[in-house]
Structures are given as C-alpha cells and as structure tokens.
Amino acid sequence: MGLAKRIIPCLDVKDGTTVKGINFVNLREAGDPVALGKAYSEAGADELVFLDITASHEGRKTFTDMVTRVADEVNIPFTVGGGINELEDVERLLYAGADKVSVNSAAIRRPGLIDEIASRFGSQVCVCAIDARLDNGIWQCYLNGGRIPTEKTLFEWAREVADRGAGEILYTSMNHDGVKDGFAVEALARLHDILPIPVIASGGAGKMSHFTDVFTKGKADAALAASVFHFGEISIADLKTYLRKEGIKVR
C-alpha cells in the first residue's frame, strides 16, 4: 500500500504577512501566517510550506521570528524556503524551529549546497524545489521564482539533486501553476520512476479530482496547493474524505 499521501498547503510570506489574498475560514488575521498555519494544522493538513518572498535583509529577520512563532503554534512538520543561500541560513531557520528547508535557485547556482545541507543536517532536512517549464518538448529549469531560464533540464537535475543527498523534491510545473487545470501528471510519473526519493507535486490544483490524478497517474508522494485551500474552494477535511473514497491512502 505504501505510505499515506500528504496534503500540503503553501503560504507565501512577504515582510511577515501572507500574500496571495486569503479568506480562509474568515480568520480575522487572514494575513497572519502563524494563525493560518495553525488553522491549517487543525484542519488536517499533513505538513505546511512557508515561502519567504521578501528580498530585504530586514524581511529575513521578520521571517525568522515568524518561524519561531509557527513552531510554537503548529504541531505538524513545516518546511521553509526562500532566500536560503548558505549553511548559516539553514542553521538559523532550523534553530528557529523549522523541520525542513527548501532550496531552489541557490542549489542550481551552487549544487554543492545540497551535499552540505544533507551531510550537516541530514537528508530529511533538505527539500530541493525545482521550477520547470515545458518548452518545445523539453522541461527546462528556471531560477528566481521562474523568471530566469537555466541550462538544466528537469529529469537530469532531479536525478543529480537526489544523488547529492536531497531528501525530497518539490516540483512545480510552471505550465500548470495557477491554471487550476490539473497537475503535470506525466512528468510527475516519470520523476517517480527515476528517483529514489519522494516527490511533492505543485502547480495546477483546481478541483478534488486533480488530487486523485496526481496520486494515481502522477504517482506523487504529496500534493501542494495554495489558492484552492486559501480561498476555501477545497477544504482539507473534505478532500481527505474524497480521496479515501477514491481508494487513496491519506492520514
């Protein structure tokens, strides 16, 4: 049967506030990532991802303080990403209470960062995020939140990331992200087949059947989504009930 599939809401945080308008459960602190994280935790989310999209140095400190508050309030594992460039950044966030860190652009620029994180803190701490877009039949990897194309291609880079010791891959299909038309199930299935580590699928969640597809056809270990959860279009409890009926093992 394998491990239970995980459902993971993702929160983008800028200067300590959640962005991508949220009207989740009419929370008065709809902008407060800590209150939101707690609400998701109580609603049955298996894990959480918080992405720091702040550029400034001051914003980084605010984010670290937020991580400490999240760790006090939330009793499920949570991953933090954004602006992690060196071991000191990882150390700071883990010390603040994060369970895992997600690296993306910095790992593409300097792949050895993955080896360093894995050997210092263990593979289970290192999530490597890959943003890729299908152009002319080739999945090309992008840097800086999908703004800069690189020479790397999805399947080769994913394999290298696993070889270097990453514990998980968080793969976002840029073609599917925000379109709500379903996940990139073919690419996901291929990643599953070539990798020895779990794959978290991101980009494309629009309705509950998309989650069935991502776990069955896409063979993903976990599915991450933002707006469908934030806007209350899909509740996590309803989604899990639905997936159980579909024969998919969830917690």
Side-chain angles (χ1 to χ4, degrees):
M1 189 74 195
L3 294 170
K5 303 297 190 182
R6 290 169 286 149
I7 304 295
I8 307 176
C10 177
L11 300 152
D12 286 346
V13 179
K14 186 172 185 188
D15 300 317
T17 303
T18 317
V19 295
K20 270 191 187 165
I22 286 187
N23 47 16
F24 177 68
V25 295
N26 308 322
L27 275 179
R28 272 198 308 264
E29 312 93 334
D32 179 19
V34 181
L36 274 165
K38 190 175 183 202
Y40 276 131
S41 175
E42 287 164 359
D46 299 301
E47 296 187 22
L48 294 165
V49 169
F50 294 89
L51 290 180
D52 182 13
I53 60 170
T54 314
S56 72
H57 203 71
E58 301 75 61
R60 292 269 177 265
K61 172 145 176 27
T62 308
F63 186 74
T64 308
D65 293 343
M66 181 216 82
V67 169
T68 306
R69 288 168 48 227
V70 169
D72 287 342
E73 294 287 346
V74 169
N75 57 7
I76 55 175
F78 71 100
T79 299
V80 296
I84 295 170
N85 296 303
E86 51 194 9
L87 282 181
E88 286 69 35
D89 298 321
V90 178
E91 205 152 47
R92 170 171 50 87
L93 293 162
L94 292 177
Y95 187 71
D99 297 284
K100 309 179 201 178
V101 296
S102 169
V103 290
N104 189 338
S105 298
I108 287 183
R109 290 196 187 97
R110 190 169 71 80
L113 179 62
I114 297 168
D115 307 68
E116 290 169 12
I117 296 171
S119 61
R120 169 81 72 89
F121 304 108
S123 286
Q124 78 286 349
V125 159
C126 185
V127 179
C128 190
I130 303 177
D131 298 333
R133 191 164 82 197
L134 187 61
D135 293 315
N136 302 320
I138 294 167
W139 283 98
Q140 192 171 20
C141 299
Y142 278 71
L143 286 169
N144 291 48
R147 286 190 290 276
I148 304 168
T150 72
E151 295 293 301
K152 294 194 187 291
T153 57
L154 172 62
F155 302 110
E156 286 166 279
W157 175 231
R159 224 188 233 121
E160 179 179 340
V161 160
D163 289 344
R164 286 179 177 277
E168 281 183 300
I169 283 174
L170 166 54
Y171 156 59
T172 302
S173 161
M174 291 164 58
N175 305 70
H176 295 74
D177 196 36
V179 187
K180 297 195 177 179
D181 216 3
F183 293 88
V185 291
E186 287 168 16
L188 283 158
R190 189 166 163 205
L191 285 171
H192 170 86
D193 292 344
I194 65 169
L195 295 173
I197 58 174
V199 178
I200 304 164
S202 163
K207 50 188 190 197
M208 292 202 203
S209 62
H210 293 154
F211 287 89
T212 306
D213 290 342
V214 82
F215 293 134
T216 54
K217 296 177 189 159
K219 306 181 192 175
D221 298 277
L224 176 139
S227 58
V228 289
F229 295 144
H230 300 338
F231 290 110
E233 291 162 34
I234 295 177
S235 92
I236 289 173
D238 291 349
L239 175 58
K240 288 194 164 184
T241 302
Y242 170 85
L243 289 170
R244 281 187 200 104
K245 283 187 186 137
E246 295 277 301
I248 292 163
K249 187 173 163 192
V250 287
R251 292 197 178 115

